[in-house]
Amino acid sequence: MKVGVTPAFEQTAREATHSLLRAVAGLMFWQHGAQKLFGWLDGRQVQELASLPGLAGVLEFFGGVLIIVGLFTRPVAFVLSGEMAFAYFMSHAPRALWPIENRGEASVLFCFIFLFFAAHGAGRYSLDALLGGRRANRVAQPA
């Protein structure tokens, strides 16, 4: 006899872990922005907001919040993925070939996690899904 999970459980687990990954990645990313913008969490606050580190702080702080709650996830994740690719090639890649050598692992992981969310969306447990459901209901109801 084959032992396994039911299709319903598998679907629920897939949806829950999709949303958990989004929320945790957003929270981890938000912390980097909080360090840059406010000096929180043992960080160094950027002195000039109109600089690359200042722009990164704004993207990380506010983008992180949007990713956590799953609002405007696809476009925000696409922008954040690009930010992390830019950060990797500007800051880390010149130091060494491999991310483990140039301390760029976090940038690479964030880049590809956000690319995943740009392609797959926020998931079922998100404001995007909630608002999308409301929009679909408004469109489906006759006037």
Side-chain angles (χ1 to χ4, degrees):
M1 173 165 56
K2 183 178 176 183
V3 177
V5 297
T6 66
F9 176 81
E10 189 174 312
Q11 182 64 24
T12 300
R14 191 178 297 119
E15 292 169 348
T17 55
H18 182 111
S19 294
L20 277 171
L21 176 61
R22 187 199 73 245
V24 171
L27 180 62
M28 297 299 105
F29 203 65
W30 170 86
Q31 292 176 53
H32 289 279
Q35 285 185 315
K36 290 178 181 78
L37 289 184
F38 307 111
W40 296 347
L41 305 168
D42 202 28
R44 290 189 328 205
Q45 187 174 7
V46 296
Q47 299 304 310
E48 183 59 45
L49 198 58
S51 64
L52 285 178
L55 176 60
V58 169
L59 289 172
E60 291 163 7
F61 187 84
F62 294 104
V65 169
L66 291 171
I67 293 294
I68 290 167
V69 299
L71 184 62
F72 308 120
T73 303
R74 287 180 190 264
V76 169
F78 183 76
V79 169
L80 298 180
S81 178
E83 178 205 356
M84 288 294 93
F86 182 81
Y88 181 80
F89 287 108
M90 286 291 294
S91 180
H92 299 283
R95 296 181 196 164
L97 176 64
W98 295 102
I100 194 72
E101 294 176 322
N102 63 34
R103 303 183 52 95
E105 310 97 320
S107 295
V108 171
L109 281 170
F110 278 128
C111 178
F112 283 95
I113 289 169
F114 291 137
L115 189 59
F116 172 85
F117 287 113
H120 292 270
R124 181 176 181 181
Y125 306 109
S126 65
L127 288 179
D128 284 343
L130 180 67
L131 296 173
R134 286 186 180 166
R135 273 187 240 118
N137 288 340
R138 279 197 312 260
V139 171
Q141 295 175 359

